[in-house]
Amino acid sequence: MGPADEYIDQYLKENIIESETIQRMRHVIHEFSSRTPKVIVTKCIDGRVHGSKLKGYPVTTIRFGRTDGNIVSTSQNNFWYWNRIDKAVNDAQCNTPNMPALFIAYMHRSDIPGLGCAAHGGDEVAAAKAVRDQVTAVRKVFPRDKLYVIEGITNTDSMAETLIFEDGTILDSLQIGNDFGLTDPSQVFHSAFLKYQIKDPAISKNIGFRTPEQLFTGKTFDFYDEFQTSLSMKSFLIREISAIVSSGEFDTQKLIQPDLLSALYHKLSSVKDLPKALLPSLLYQTIWNIAYSMYQKRKLSLMNPDDRWKLLDHAEEIICYGDGFELLQRNKAVLVKTGRGDDTDALLVAKKVLSRNRQHEAKPYPIIIHLNVENSCELRSWADFNENISSRMNTMLRNLDTVFEKEEVVILTTFSYLDQKRFYPIRTKEDPRISYPVNIMTDINGEDLFSTIGLRAREAFYAAERIPSAYEARYFD
């Protein structure tokens, strides 16, 4: 393997490990999802504002849209954009019928000059207008009982969020933490909760029979950074917070710092026209984000200056185009999704960001572009595969041709499943830029050759062959 293939090989091994945890913990994720709204979030392609971790939502429970600066065409002709929202609304109508779907459009900002949104040249007024234009357009299409719409701001330094509601109410996690004099994430929780082992036997087992207090110790906290533990605590907290709100037992609860919980509950309760069914999940999301942003500030304070700057500034290594990249860590990739109405504009910005990063830190390989098409269900026929994977992939490859026509690049083409997030390498056309040596569609890529059993066998073999070496690379290097 050359340097690019070696990088991709390690990248895919890391993905396999994380996707194995999703598979093992799918019942925990399902329990969480049954208590929360169907959420769609739109963000910038900036890798520093990646994922659902800062909101306390497990991977697979949020649908994302990402365009440069969160600039999108809200014309009804932008099929990708509106279809993504319709999926969440329909999902809510069928699976959480008394709870509307939730839409949040985020801008992002930094407290450090020059590290704001590159797509807007650091202009926070322009970034705010882009998300405000979105929420205004979406509110005109969907009633509140079908889709509740919020405007948001992410601070890329601390990961603190600000939620701006339609009536003008502002919920600022950073400000709330400062108002309550909180300096450590454990301070968000009740002292009794921290000291005793969780009584739920399944949760207790999943977190290694430790007390919550023990999850807030060490250089990094397992409460946030150990995947299985974090998933389990998310499910536990949403269940307990929902129960507190439902019972109204705020005075006797021993989960959250009482004054903080009371202040947040009253603030959310006062938001005009906020559906009551959304109150527990927004309360949970805010509590989680207050604690999570404090954890980020703590991590930054412990880093040496070079590592701290790398985390705060752009340090993306790869361009990811398509869907299904939620397992990647912060600042790993510039994330370009379909849905702006002109994907090539977003890809041009991604190219600019990667080119700048590589000037600061040279790599022994060209720019790597990972193109992934994600499917929501099993592929049962060649027609399924062609319509949902191959044809979409080839259409997206033409956008890469337009943007990187004169550039030397390496392309990884994969597909994944919505509930699994595992990347399966494939080739849908002959292209020398697609250089990774694995193609799980070899010899079953045709109407007479394809079978569901054959595909499943290839997928299982691909993962099984790499899992041992992936774990060895992680734990024994």
Side-chain angles (χ1 to χ4, degrees), residues 321-372:
Y321 178 33
D323 294 283
F325 301 109
E326 290 83 357
L327 287 177
L328 299 183
Q329 65 266 39
R330 164 193 163 104
N331 229 353
K332 179 76 170 181
V334 185
L335 299 137
V336 180
K337 285 181 178 280
T338 54
R340 171 175 173 156
D342 187 347
D343 289 4
T344 56
D345 282 359
L347 286 166
L348 283 165
V349 173
K351 176 184 172 183
K352 181 179 178 181
V353 170
L354 256 290
S355 297
R356 193 200 74 166
N357 291 354
R358 290 166 69 89
Q359 288 176 358
H360 296 315
E361 186 175 352
K363 303 292 184 183
Y365 45 77
I367 286 177
I368 296 174
I369 305 165
H370 179 190
L371 193 162
N372 185 68

Side-chain angles (χ1 to χ4, degrees), residues 125-344:
V125 174
K129 182 179 183 302
V131 299
R132 193 167 300 120
D133 287 347
Q134 271 193 76
V135 299
T136 300
V138 175
R139 282 173 179 149
K140 290 178 180 178
V141 175
F142 296 96
R144 292 187 195 92
D145 63 337
K146 301 297 182 187
L147 182 71
Y148 192 77
V149 181
I150 303 174
E151 186 180 334
I153 305 170
T154 301
N155 183 307
T156 58
D157 306 336
S158 66
M159 292 292 101
E161 291 191 338
T162 301
L163 299 180
I164 304 169
F165 295 84
E166 189 173 5
D167 69 350
T169 299
I170 297 175
L171 205 58
D172 184 334
S173 293
L174 183 62
Q175 185 62 53
I176 293 166
N178 290 339
D179 289 345
F180 278 85
L182 304 175
T183 58
D184 186 88
S186 64
Q187 295 173 340
V188 167
F189 300 96
H190 198 288
S191 58
F193 167 70
L194 293 171
K195 291 184 178 299
Y196 299 104
Q197 196 174 103
I198 291 172
K199 294 180 180 179
D200 184 298
I203 297 294
S204 188
K205 178 184 176 184
N206 285 339
I207 66 173
F209 302 102
R210 292 171 290 177
T211 66
E213 190 172 52
Q214 291 173 312
L215 305 180
F216 288 107
T217 57
K219 187 175 181 180
T220 59
F221 292 171
D222 283 355
F223 193 96
Y224 301 107
D225 285 341
E226 204 285 310
F227 197 11
Q228 177 173 303
T229 296
S230 189
L231 285 174
S232 299
M233 293 310 301
K234 290 167 184 174
S235 182
F236 175 79
L237 288 173
I238 188 62
R239 183 183 71 190
E240 295 301 306
I241 290 172
S242 297
I244 291 168
V245 173
S246 177
S247 65
E249 296 177 352
F250 291 91
D251 295 334
T252 58
Q253 65 86 24
K254 289 182 169 56
L255 180 69
I256 307 299
Q257 202 264 79
D259 290 342
L260 175 64
L261 182 65
S262 177
L264 292 175
Y265 178 76
H266 287 300
K267 181 89 168 180
L268 284 166
S269 297
S270 67
V271 175
K272 183 181 178 182
D273 296 325
L274 175 65
K276 298 299 182 186
L278 293 179
L279 206 153
S281 55
L282 287 171
L283 183 60
Y284 160 81
Q285 179 179 328
T286 305
I287 289 168
W288 180 279
N289 185 249
I290 292 170
Y292 185 78
S293 60
M294 287 179 191
Y295 178 51
Q296 292 305 301
K297 288 195 288 185
R298 177 186 180 275
K299 285 175 70 174
L300 286 169
S301 71
L302 298 174
M303 289 179 173
N304 65 55
D306 288 342
D307 288 341
R308 184 185 306 120
W309 185 254
K310 187 174 181 180
L311 189 70
L312 293 173
D313 195 6
H314 283 284
E316 298 94 339
E317 303 170 352
I318 186 171
I319 294 172
C320 290
Y321 178 33
D323 294 283
F325 301 109
E326 290 83 357
L327 287 177
L328 299 183
Q329 65 266 39
R330 164 193 163 104
N331 229 353
K332 179 76 170 181
V334 185
L335 299 137
V336 180
K337 285 181 178 280
T338 54
R340 171 175 173 156
D342 187 347
D343 289 4
T344 56

